[in-house]
Every structure is written in structure tokens, then in C-alpha cells.
Amino acid sequence: DSGVTQTPKHLITATGQRVTLRCSPRSGDLSVYWYQQSLDQGLQFLIHYYNGEERAKGNILERFSAQQFPDLHSELNLSSLELGDSALYFCASSRPGQANTGELFFGEGSRLTVL
Amino acid sequence: KNQVEQSPQSLIILEGKNCTLQCNYTVSPFSNLRWYKQDTGRGPVSLTIMTFSENTKSNGRYTATLDADTKQSSLHITASQLSDSASYICVVIRMDSSYKLIFGSGTRLLVRP
């Protein structure tokens, strides 16, 4: 158990809909990262938050947005869903001051299926 | 361009055999390199970190090497077990920039009985 909690574990929805994925980082971790992993693909970086502020953006679509709240949990909002958005969405957190070590603690992921 | 390439893409070996996974990178400036193991449908878990000055580091049956001059790393698995079946991801950490982690696409290892 990494200590990072993601909900829901599984989600099935229809094209055009909107969903929200939630992540609670490990206690004491200020950074939250979101990644998308499509079937048999590598991890694609979406966005990084640090203590409530956006720090870096990757290949995140305009239909997707995220935020980190004062209690440090984060939400990833996916709207106008398309079939190609079906994927595993991972959240990861890291300890303060450990950015250079690359040590991320990943949650178990949220599996999104768009029908 | 900052890239991390892993080979092979996939590998099948028999239980008890050894194998070596490769990671080549063009990331600069280099800070560290980390290997992750990802079981199917699970989140990746860190196996080991290699800093610029380290050549070899072992973690049980896993041994990682780093050649910073040629920008290559390898992960050697000894006496493979069925539980080693997973994807192994090489991540290179950049020294600068706001986002520092460059992920490889991974090598998918299947260990057969």
C-alpha cells in the first residue's frame, strides 16, 4: 500500500459525459501528479500540482482539468468524453524536497471505460 | 530532445532464467535514473535509484547499472520468478525545469513456468 488513495477504482460512462477522479496523497506529501495510461501504452504525464498550485502541464487535453485543494487532495475532471479517453488514470505523490530523486508513490489507479 | 528509450519492448523467459533490460536516454542535464516495476493494472513501484556517480546497485535479485558517459542503464534480474512478470519502467530525472521526470515506455516481462 503506497498510501495514495484514488477513487473510484472503476468507472464506466458514455461518450459526451463528464467524470471526476479523486486522489488523496500520502500524509505529508505536497505534490500530486496525474498520469494517463492507455491499453498497453506507457505513462503519459498530464499535470503536476504542488501545495495547491499548478507546477507543470504535460499533454493534457483542453477537455481535461485538475485542481488541488487546501487539504491537498486533488481532482481530475474529464469532460466531453470520447472513446479514446478510456484508460487507467494514475495519481502519484512525492515528498517535499524530493523532486530530484524522482521517487513517486502511485495510487492503484482509476480505470475509466467510455462506451 | 529529452527521450528515454527502452528495449526490448517485451520479453518472455522461463522461470529461473536471468534477463537484462536496457534503457538509453538523451535527457540533459541528468540528475538521477530510477527503475519502476508495474504489475498489470497496478501503480508503478520504485525498485532502485541510480545517481550520477553510481555504477551498480543491487536490490535483492535486481541489479541496476548506469553508464553516465554513454547514457545507458540496465536492469538485470537473476533467477527470475513468476512474480517478476510485470512492466519495468525506466525514468530519468532532469536537473532543471519545472517537470523533471522523463518516462520510458517500459519493457513488458513475462516469466513462464
Side-chain angles (χ1 to χ4, degrees):
Chain A
D1 183 6
S2 68
V4 177
T5 304
Q6 288 189 247
T7 57
K9 285 188 167 47
H10 301 277
L11 191 56
I12 301 175
T13 188
T15 55
Q17 295 298 304
R18 173 190 169 95
V19 299
T20 297
L21 310 180
R22 182 188 169 102
C23 169
S24 294
R26 296 185 327 150
S27 177
D29 287 358
L30 302 181
S31 275
V32 169
Y33 301 79
W34 285 98
Y35 291 87
Q36 178 193 55
Q37 188 173 40
S38 301
L39 188 63
D40 293 333
Q41 299 295 310
L43 288 161
Q44 297 297 317
F45 169 64
L46 296 178
I47 199 161
H48 168 212
Y49 278 87
Y50 179 84
N51 202 21
E53 293 188 5
E54 182 185 302
R55 279 296 178 92
K57 244 179 183 178
N59 299 322
I60 187 167
L61 300 172
E62 286 191 8
R63 300 184 286 107
F64 296 0
S65 64
Q67 54 183 328
Q68 187 179 27
F69 295 87
D71 68 353
L72 301 177
H73 91 271
S74 178
E75 292 181 356
L76 178 67
N77 300 296
L78 315 175
S79 61
S80 303
L81 286 168
E82 302 175 359
L83 296 177
D85 297 328
S86 295
L88 260 172
Y89 290 84
F90 287 105
C91 167
S93 70
S94 66
R95 288 187 283 248
Q98 294 297 306
N100 285 341
T101 72
E103 184 172 30
L104 300 183
F105 296 89
F106 284 83
E108 291 302 301
S110 291
R111 182 175 294 280
L112 172 66
T113 302
V114 182
L115 301 176
Chain B
K1 185 177 180 181
N2 292 295
Q3 285 188 316
V4 177
E5 296 191 357
Q6 293 187 243
S7 62
Q9 278 190 327
S10 61
L11 184 61
I12 301 174
I13 62 173
L14 292 176
E15 187 179 11
K17 297 296 186 182
N18 304 336
C19 67
T20 300
L21 315 180
Q22 299 288 346
C23 173
N24 296 339
Y25 62 92
T26 58
V27 177
S28 181
F30 174 88
S31 177
N32 299 298
L33 182 148
R34 193 176 281 272
W35 284 92
Y36 281 85
K37 178 186 180 187
Q38 184 180 21
D39 292 321
T40 301
R42 308 291 297 274
V45 175
S46 176
L47 288 175
T48 188
I49 181 173
M50 302 297 290
T51 61
F52 186 86
S53 59
E54 292 176 312
N55 296 120
T56 304
K57 184 181 284 186
S58 292
N59 178 8
R61 294 180 297 101
Y62 299 103
T63 299
T65 67
L66 175 66
D67 185 334
D69 291 331
T70 62
K71 298 188 177 182
Q72 295 179 326
S73 177
S74 67
L75 182 69
H76 185 76
I77 304 175
T78 304
S80 61
Q81 300 176 357
L82 297 180
S83 60
D84 293 329
S85 296
S87 288
Y88 292 85
I89 304 169
C90 175
V91 182
V92 179
I93 298 90
R94 288 183 59 181
M95 187 84 70
D96 60 0
S97 88
S98 57
Y99 180 68
K100 302 173 182 292
L101 309 176
I102 312 299
F103 279 73
S105 295
T107 291
R108 180 170 291 195
L109 174 65
L110 177 62
V111 180
R112 286 206 165 136

